[in-house]
Structures are given as structure tokens and as C-alpha cells.
Amino acid sequence: MMTTPRRRQAASALLALGAMLSAGACSVANSGPEPSSGGSSAASTVRIVLPEEPPTLEPCDASLTATGRVTRANITEALTERDPSSGQLQPALATEWKQDSPTEWTFTLRKDVKFHDGTAFDAKAAAFSIERTVGSKIDCNVNGYVFGGTKLTVTAPDATTLKVETAKPDPILPLRLSFVEIVPTTTNATAKVREPVGTGPYKIAKWDAGRSLRLEKFAGYWGKAPEFAAAEYVWRAEGSIRAAMVKSDEADIAVGLAPEDGAGDSAVQFPNNETSYLRIDATKPPLDDVRVRQAINYAIDKEGLVASVFAGLGKSAGQIVPAGVTGHSSAIQPWPYDMAQAKKLIAEAKADGVATGTAITIIGRNGIYPKAAESMEVVQNSLMEAGLSVKIQMLDVNAWLEYLLAPFPKDAGPTLLQAQHGNQAGDAAFTMGQIYGSKGAQSSYGTKELDELISAAEQASGEERQTAFAKALEYQNKEVVRDAVLAHMTGILALSKKVSYKPDAATNDEMRLVDIHPAG
């Protein structure tokens, strides 16, 4: 078993990339972070501008992009971590692990690790953190996204030994645990916390709500010390302003940019492993008719959307699981653009009494990716041309989350949710159950047959696992048609000449401050 800690990459059901390009020139005067506190010089602080303020830094919600990109591997850490370049699972707070039986695992924990409050990390803290996250009643996003109803029994025989028992065999349990951020036993176990205590290289110094968030280096960190003494986060909704802040030396890194945002020479493109899609609420008419769902897929010109609105930053897609992830099916291709077929299917459904004139609401999210609102306007026009009645409601992240995560608003009517999913963990188990399972945390619709296919795949390993998940995805695409998948995306960030940083597929969900260095 490997014993050298590297880096962890986690999934997210979400990508908070960019905002719609604002019209006209925007001033960036006084838009930078507040002067550094704690005696640190400006040169010792890396300045990062985000599209939005984190809704919380609660560790058990760290699979949400806006939370995870600040929290994960910076404030809190997990037992294991996945290297994004090799795909290999590496030690973090656990140095090794072994499978004792099909349902039992033993983890050996790292010694001499301290939490930010000075208390010792041990097996009791690890067990507490797992129990707080998995199967608890505080509605942790990680629980639904990663574990999906899995039942775990956790014990701590001694300070450095953790035993985890699963109700049924789980061949990827160590990978799942890379999503559980470890916190001390003094953390509230019955409610979420906004500002956590962790073991990471940085601790929270000051969160000035609505303005800025400052992290400062933790002197007692067990691993390699980061090079910056502090990190200062601010947020600006307009991508053009974020880019301009880097160019005017008011920020070192700006994330979530579009090509039109004017980053110029500071722009860096990178594959972000995210897939944009529309989640179809197939429980309400007219969306409960599969012909209508098929028509939605035919009516959207995905290649045209990528070429125009996304400015070529992406590739049209037919499935939410991208290539390179266990379970991806090479047999699934993007739905072809065929407006005539879309109109025919809508007409057939209408003739059979389906209420195709019922107003469908696109629930969009500001800043989910560049030109988020404009992309939904393109979709709206296409669906209306096909014969549907469609309106758009653009929401900020907190209001949008009400529609993303179950239980969903009861009075919303038929909806199409603008969403994005990144499977950074490399296994379809982190997609299928939570997004397509009947009881998934982000699922608006499922079937018994698909549930059975997903369950069988989750129990398999090796090539059988790949084949089983591909079969489940193919069934979803042909028989269920719960989504209109749009594109696999490409990200852009702006980087000042004062810092060195190489973004990767994990960047949007986990921007590790230890990987950011002073230039030169």
C-alpha cells in the first residue's frame, strides 16, 4: 500500500464557472480584497476572485463546487485522496488500508496530526466525522452524492486504527471516503457549521460576509508547508470584472471565465471534466411522456450551442459520464439535432391527449458556466419552435440549490434544471445512484429497472464493473431519457505573472493552495 501523500481529487455534482458577460465597460476601482491583516505583507498573500461567495464552508457539503473549492484540502482533509493525473488513490490522513473481508476494512491513521484548535487527530475523530456525514440527519450533500443510502458501522479500536464495515460489499469504499472531510469531535453533530475546524494547511482567519474570506497558514500543519502565508478570496459576479482584476493587479487568480471576458495573455484553458445538462422532471406532464423528453433532446442543437454560446469551449455530449471514467459507454453518442423529428414527437403526444401546452420552466443558475442565461435562451427558443411552452427563471446559487437537491419544491410545476456534473472521482458510482437512482439526492425521476442495473454495477469490480455501468447508462439513454445532456466543458482562469499554478481536472472543485507558488 502506498504511503506517500499526494493530492486528492473529488467529485461534485456542481460547477460554479463564470457569469454571463455584462454589457458595457465595468470599473474595477476599489474592487480588490481588503488590506491583509495579521501583519502579513501583500506579497505573502495569494488573492483569488471567485464568481460567487461560498454559501457555507461546511465540510459535509464540500462536494458542492462553491464550498469545496475553498474547503477541500485547504481547511479540511480526508483519509484518502485521488491524484488527478494518475487516477491512483493516495494516502492523506490515513497512511494505509486493507480489506479484511468483502464488507470490512481497516485503516491505519497518520500520527502526530493536529486540528487547528490544537486537539489531536485520531481514530475517534475519524469515526465521528464519518458518522456525522454518512447517514446522519443533517442533510449532508456528500451523503447523498457519494454514499446514496449506504450504511456504515465505524469503530476505533485504538488511536491509529479505524475499522469500517459496510452493510453490503463495496469495492470502492476507500475512494468514497476521500469525500469525507475530517473534523474534531467537538464539531456540532446535529447541525451544519459555517466555519469548520480542520487539519489542513490553512485555517479560517476572517470571513467578512458579502465581502471577503481570509485563510491563514496553519503553523502546526503535519505536511509540507504552503508557500503563501495567507489566501484572500473575494467574489465578483461579472467575468469581465474578475479578468480585469488580474490584469490590474487586484487579484492573482480569477476563475470561471469566458473567452469574451478579456483575460488576454493571463488566460489559461484547461479540461475541467464537467458535463452540462438539463435535468428533466419526468414526474409531471407533459414531461412524464417519454416522447416529449425525446423531443427535447432532438430539438437542441448541441454542436451549435458549443460553437456559438460556449465559443468552442467544449464538445457536444450524449452522456453525463465522460471518457476516462469507469462506466463511460462508447456506444452512446450525442442526440442528433433533428427539429422535424422533435415536432413530430410533440404532435404525436398532443394527439394522444398529453398536455403539451403546459408551461415548462427552465430553472437556470447564474454563473454555473459562462453565458449561463444566454445558453438557456437558446434552449428555450428551440423548445418553443418544437411546439412546447417554455419560460426561464434564473436563480442565484442558494435558491437554485432548492431545486437541485431533494426534497424539491412541490409547487414548481414541470421543470428543466440547468445543471452541471463533474465526476472527478473516476467511477460512475459517483454519478448513477445520486443522479439517476429513484432515491438519489439529485434525482427527479428513476425506474425500478434502472435502479436494479445501478445496484448490480455498484457490486461489481474490474471489467465487470465497467460493463455493468455502461449497460445502465445505455438503458437510461434509450429507455428512460431523464436528461438532455449538452456538452463536456472546458474551463478558463486568469493567472497573474506573480504566481505559478497549473490547473487540472480537479481545479474547479478543489483548488489546492499548496499548489500555488510565487512566480520565479
Side-chain angles (χ1 to χ4, degrees):
M1 185 62 63
M2 301 177 186
T3 58
T4 303
R6 294 183 67 183
R7 60 170 297 157
R8 179 170 56 85
Q9 174 179 325
S12 146
L14 307 172
L15 172 65
L17 266 187
M20 184 176 178
L21 182 64
S22 59
C26 299
S27 170
V28 296
N30 301 316
S31 61
E34 294 296 306
S36 299
S37 59
S40 298
S41 66
S44 66
T45 300
V46 60
R47 303 161 300 169
I48 301 171
V49 56
L50 307 172
E52 59 195 357
E53 181 175 12
T56 178
L57 296 179
E58 164 58 57
C60 79
D61 282 345
S63 50
L64 298 174
T65 297
T67 295
R69 65 153 58 101
V70 176
T71 303
R72 285 201 297 261
N74 294 324
I75 301 169
T76 57
E77 298 174 301
L79 298 179
T80 61
E81 57 188 27
R82 184 175 182 269
D83 187 300
S85 58
S86 68
Q88 296 298 312
L89 198 63
Q90 305 284 357
L93 292 179
T95 58
E96 59 183 12
W97 49 91
K98 63 179 180 177
Q99 188 170 13
D100 303 315
S101 75
T103 59
E104 296 176 319
W105 296 78
T106 298
F107 293 79
T108 301
L109 307 187
R110 195 173 298 280
K111 300 177 181 178
D112 301 322
V113 175
K114 297 289 186 182
F115 286 104
H116 299 156
D117 62 4
T119 59
F121 159 73
D122 58 15
K124 289 183 179 179
F128 168 82
S129 300
I130 294 171
E131 291 173 342
R132 181 179 183 271
T133 302
V134 183
S136 70
K137 297 181 179 180
I138 60 176
D139 295 325
C140 295
N141 190 65
V142 167
N143 182 34
Y145 173 61
V146 179
F147 292 91
T150 298
K151 296 186 182 301
L152 302 180
T153 301
V154 190
T155 56
D158 57 56
T160 60
T161 304
L162 180 75
K163 289 187 174 293
V164 183
E165 183 177 356
T166 59
K168 56 184 179 181
D170 185 355
I172 62 166
L173 178 69
L175 179 58
R176 292 187 197 277
L177 290 178
S178 70
F179 291 84
V180 177
E181 306 294 308
I182 305 301
V183 293
T185 57
T186 53
T187 304
N188 194 326
T190 59
K192 294 182 180 180
V193 297
R194 186 169 182 266
E195 299 186 21
V197 171
T199 60
Y202 287 88
K203 60 183 180 180
I204 301 171
K206 182 181 180 182
W207 192 347
D208 188 357
R211 300 191 64 185
S212 65
L213 168 66
R214 182 178 176 82
L215 308 183
E216 292 184 349
K217 183 162 62 174
F218 174 42
Y221 183 54
W222 62 269
K224 182 180 179 181
E227 295 182 55
F228 284 100
E232 191 95 20
Y233 296 90
V234 296
W235 32 91
R236 301 291 181 267
E238 296 84 0
S240 57
I241 288 182
R242 296 196 298 278
M245 288 175 67
V246 172
K247 296 178 70 174
S248 63
D249 195 29
E250 294 177 86
D252 298 306
I253 301 176
V255 304
L257 301 180
E260 310 92 300
D261 288 333
D265 293 341
S266 65
V268 179
Q269 294 187 19
F270 61 99
N272 61 29
N273 207 21
E274 299 284 345
T275 303
S276 59
Y277 68 105
L278 293 172
R279 187 185 73 192
I280 303 173
D281 182 358
T283 64
K284 301 183 181 73
L287 302 178
D288 58 349
D289 191 292
V290 70
R291 292 170 295 184
V292 175
R293 302 198 295 274
Q294 291 169 339
I296 289 171
N297 275 277
Y298 282 123
I300 301 172
D301 182 359
K302 301 173 183 64
E303 290 187 1
L305 189 67
V306 170
S308 58
V309 180
F310 296 160
L313 290 177
K315 182 179 180 181
S316 59
Q319 60 190 299
I320 202 170
V321 175
V325 173
T326 298
H328 171 83
S329 172
S330 59
I332 301 176
Q333 299 299 314
W335 283 66
Y337 173 54
D338 190 338
M339 184 59 74
Q341 180 66 8
K343 290 180 177 180
K344 179 183 177 182
L345 288 167
I346 296 297
E348 288 178 358
K350 183 177 181 180
D352 287 342
V354 177
T356 57
T358 302
I360 299 168
T361 303
I362 295 176
I363 303 296
R365 175 182 163 190
N366 294 314
I368 193 170
Y369 44 72
K371 292 192 174 182
E374 185 172 337
S375 66
M376 292 302 97
E377 290 170 1
V378 172
V379 170
Q380 178 192 34
N381 290 336
S382 296
L383 299 186
M384 291 179 69
E385 182 181 348
L388 297 173
S389 175
V390 183
K391 58 183 179 179
I392 299 174
Q393 184 177 5
M394 296 299 296
L395 302 175
D396 289 331
V397 59
N398 285 327
W400 175 85
L401 285 172
E402 295 295 320
Y403 292 87
L404 176 72
L405 304 173
F408 309 116
K410 296 181 181 297
D411 57 352
T415 61
L416 304 175
L417 183 75
Q418 182 184 28
Q420 195 154 237
H421 173 69
N423 189 316
Q424 311 292 0
D427 191 285
F430 297 92
T431 296
M432 299 301 290
Q434 63 123 358
I435 288 183
Y436 292 124
S438 296
K439 297 181 180 180
Q442 295 184 33
S443 177
S444 61
Y445 177 74
T447 70
K448 178 182 177 182
E449 294 79 8
L450 184 55
D451 286 345
E452 291 173 348
L453 289 171
I454 293 171
S455 179
E458 289 174 340
Q459 299 302 308
S461 59
E463 285 300 317
E464 291 182 359
R465 189 177 186 87
Q466 162 62 35
T467 301
F469 271 125
K471 182 179 179 181
L473 277 165
E474 291 161 13
Y475 181 87
Q476 193 291 129
N477 184 65
K478 183 179 180 180
E479 303 294 337
V480 183
V481 197
R482 214 290 313 277
D483 290 333
V485 180
L486 303 178
H488 300 310
M489 308 293 281
T490 298
I492 301 178
L493 59 76
L495 195 65
S496 87
K497 297 184 183 304
K498 293 184 176 180
V499 300
S500 171
Y501 175 65
K502 184 178 180 180
D504 55 35
T507 290
N508 288 315
D509 302 296
E510 180 184 299
M511 180 178 281
R512 290 173 55 106
L513 296 172
V514 295
D515 291 338
I516 304 173
H517 313 283

